[in-house]
Amino acid sequence: MINIGLLGLGTVGTGVLKILEKRKEELIKITGDDINIKKILVRDLAKKRDIELEGGIITDNFDEILKDEDITIIVEVTGDLEEGYKYVSESLRAGKHVVTANKALVSKYFEELSDLAHKKKLALLYEASVGGGIPVIKPLKELIPFNDIKEVRGILNGTCNYILTRMEEGLDYAEALKIAQEQGFAEADPTDDVEGLDTRRKLRILGTLALQGQMPEENIIVRGISNITAFDISNINKMGASVKLIGEVKSCEGGYTAIVEPVIVESSSPFYNVGYEENAVFVKGDNVGDLMFYGNGAGMLPTANAVLCDLMDIIAGSYRLNNPLGNKKLMDLSLAIKGSYYLRISKINGELMDVFKSLADKVLSTGAQFALVTKHILRKDLIDLFENLGIEEKDYFIAKFDKINT
Ligand code: NAP
Ligand code: HSE
């Protein structure tokens, strides 16, 4: 019997139990063994669960799981950053393999935990931390020995993509966010989704693996979607385009650029038709060329499926024991990012309008909502201009055009 300790029984944890139950016979045939969830850690023992559980399986005491020598694999799906870190690091120190979907903890403690797992000769797998059900971490690790990865870019947050898709259908922002929360896509605090912080964590994980060097999360430039309005969506759609929250890491001469921001994609873009909670990740390697990974980026069963694929790799012994992180010194050159931007400002006077018009390639609207398309400019100059003119972030929205990429 393979005994597992499951930490967390929310959206993802419940999905793990559901799939294991549904696929029980097939799994016994494949592994020749019974995969047994021996203990489940939760925060609130009294909470009503909509899944049937054996008596005594649930606990709120992590030590019961840590000290159980029959439990050899931990599946961490709590979403708690610091407690999650404690569970994962103590589990590895105690000689247990770990699977986690917790991108906040992977991003924050990536180097330390990778090193610990490597020293202990244990698996630390985190496929579900990026792209929900899409296999992307494992393929990326497989590409690294044979490729210099030049670029990774993607729609990495299901909640934001869901909101943007539903707004294009006419729904209002708050209503779309509410549904994303009800569907279990959003983080416990959806600020992490809509302000781009979740995308930034995923980008940090992908970028660190891809470029084989240090890429601190907090240095990555981030802009979310919380300021977008129906007016912006309408302007962008009128151009025959769509807006997506995209995280992008590019390798360049002497370093890298990394940014999370709203991007306007035309119908010819592979990102254009990625809708609702779907995610897509583009990877460019010098030998493999261009690759695109696409599928459900959030939700109970797709995410649980990714967790279980990691679990199966541990059971089958088909995971790599090397530390997947490199130690290249990388220079952050993100302040050199340039582009053409859509910008909309609410609350603006005629004098300020003239300042922005000097940057314009095309003025879209001069009413109460002032909107234009800028020339090809340094992003930093645009942000500095807003700051210097005292225009608060809540009063404007910018999105980069995908067609001019440098
Ligand atoms: P969730 O629905 O909020 O469930 C969290 C579960 O963990 C709950 O059962 C909760 O206990 C338990 N928990 C939370 N903090 C705990 C603590 N300190 N100690 C013990 N138990 C604790 O979260 P989720 O949506 O399943 O997400 C879990 C993880 O997967 C997160 O890291 C998330 O970012 C990641 N993820 C989620 C998705 C998705 O689509 N939902 C996709 C990819 C990755 P109670 O039930 O008692 O409250
Ligand atoms: N909150 C995350 C999202 C869950 O919406 O993408 C999947 O990582």
Side-chain angles (χ1 to χ4, degrees):
M1 188 172 289
I2 303 150
N3 288 303
I4 317 286
L6 177 64
L7 316 184
L9 187 56
T11 303
V12 184
T14 304
V16 166
L17 290 189
K18 282 189 174 171
I19 299 179
L20 283 178
E21 182 56 34
K22 195 162 81 179
R23 306 289 298 179
K24 198 174 177 61
E25 300 307 320
E26 288 81 357
L27 288 168
I28 290 175
K29 272 187 223 145
I30 293 165
T31 63
D33 221 332
D34 198 5
I35 300 176
N36 177 41
I37 302 288
K38 190 169 182 204
K39 281 275 171 198
I40 303 172
L41 183 75
V42 294
R43 208 170 15 194
D44 179 4
L45 281 176
K47 196 188 259 184
K48 205 173 160 337
R49 314 274 162 189
D50 47 7
I51 187 159
E52 262 185 50
L53 298 166
E54 284 167 37
I57 192 172
I58 277 203
T59 177
D60 60 359
N61 178 4
F62 174 61
D63 274 357
E64 268 184 43
I65 296 176
L66 187 69
K67 292 194 176 130
D68 188 330
E69 289 184 1
D70 292 345
I71 293 177
T72 51
I73 307 173
I74 296 295
V75 172
E76 190 281 324
V77 287
T78 66
D80 188 320
L81 172 57
E82 296 308 337
E83 285 293 296
Y85 163 70
K86 187 186 116 189
Y87 301 151
V88 167
S89 54
E90 288 185 6
S91 298
L92 288 169
R93 279 193 202 95
K96 300 180 197 296
H97 299 288
V98 172
V99 175
T100 179
N102 192 335
K103 53 265 166 154
L105 96 77
V106 176
S107 175
K108 182 162 178 193
Y109 297 105
F110 207 8
E111 286 76 14
E112 180 191 324
L113 292 175
S114 301
D115 198 41
L116 178 59
H118 175 60
K119 283 194 180 123
K120 299 288 286 184
K121 295 190 168 51
L122 291 164
L124 169 67
L125 301 181
Y126 36 84
E127 185 61 68
S129 67
V130 180
I134 308 170
V136 61
I137 298 280
K138 188 176 176 188
L140 187 56
K141 285 181 182 171
E142 286 171 352
L143 293 171
I144 290 162
F146 310 109
N147 288 270
D148 278 342
I149 306 293
K150 300 295 179 192
E151 184 177 338
V152 179
R153 97 192 277 256
I155 296 172
L156 301 173
N157 185 272
T159 301
C160 287
N161 208 48
Y162 186 85
I163 293 171
L164 294 172
T165 308
R166 295 303 309 264
M167 284 182 81
E168 288 188 347
E169 292 173 352
L171 209 66
D172 122 274
Y173 175 94
E175 185 60 25
L177 171 57
K178 190 164 158 267
I179 301 173
Q181 287 178 290
E182 285 162 4
Q183 299 279 318
F185 307 148
E187 296 303 302
D189 179 355
T191 312
D192 287 6
D193 294 292
V194 298
E195 298 303 350
L197 307 179
D198 178 76
T199 300
R200 181 163 80 165
R201 290 171 188 140
K202 291 164 175 168
L203 190 68
R204 134 85 165 148
I205 296 169
L206 292 176
T208 303
L209 285 168
L211 269 53
Q212 290 291 289
Q214 303 229 331
M215 189 175 297
E217 177 186 319
E218 58 280 6
N219 290 3
I220 299 176
I221 298 171
V222 62
R223 257 317 144 100
I225 62 158
S226 63
N227 294 342
I228 199 166
T229 62
F231 176 76
D232 300 319
I233 296 273
S234 160
N235 279 338
I236 292 163
N237 288 171
K238 274 185 210 152
M239 298 175 205
S242 182
V243 60
K244 308 286 180 190
L245 186 71
I246 290 185
E248 174 190 280
V249 165
K250 277 186 175 176
S251 167
C252 52
E253 193 62 41
Y256 72 91
T257 60
I259 187 163
V260 174
E261 65 182 343
V263 173
I264 296 172
V265 295
E266 294 179 346
S267 58
S268 55
S269 162
F271 292 120
Y272 182 82
N273 286 317
V274 179
Y276 304 98
E277 72 272 26
E278 289 169 342
N279 284 189
V281 187
F282 169 79
V283 178
K284 186 190 268 300
D286 61 345
N287 289 316
V288 73
D290 294 354
L291 294 171
M292 192 80 182
F293 302 88
Y294 162 81
N296 287 315
M300 178 184 281
L301 297 177
T303 310
N305 183 78
V307 167
L308 288 167
C309 287
D310 279 348
L311 182 65
M312 190 54 114
D313 274 347
I314 295 175
I315 292 169
S318 57
Y319 58 91
R320 291 162 187 231
L321 272 175
N322 65 316
N323 185 337
L325 306 193
N327 53 12
K328 285 188 191 160
K329 289 267 171 292
L330 299 173
M331 179 96 84
D332 183 357
L333 303 171
S334 306
L335 290 180
I337 290 174
K338 285 180 175 173
S340 167
Y341 289 83
Y342 163 85
L343 77 84
R344 183 264 309 151
I345 311 172
S346 312
K347 295 194 201 156
I348 184 167
N349 61 34
E351 207 178 311
L352 290 189
M353 264 188 210
D354 288 341
V355 177
F356 283 98
K357 277 183 189 167
S358 69
L359 302 177
D361 189 35
K362 188 176 177 193
V363 175
L364 301 173
S365 152
T366 54
Q369 305 285 319
F370 175 62
L372 58 77
V373 176
T374 72
K375 296 174 196 157
H376 194 236
I377 53 173
L378 204 58
R379 183 185 186 278
K380 182 186 178 306
D381 286 349
L382 184 57
I383 300 298
D384 285 351
L385 188 60
F386 284 115
E387 271 179 28
N388 294 338
L389 295 175
I391 300 175
E392 290 181 52
E393 226 178 286
K394 67 176 174 48
D395 292 328
Y396 73 90
F397 173 75
I398 60 170
K400 185 179 180 182
F401 283 91
D402 200 20
K403 53 190 172 193
I404 304 169
N405 241 345
T406 48

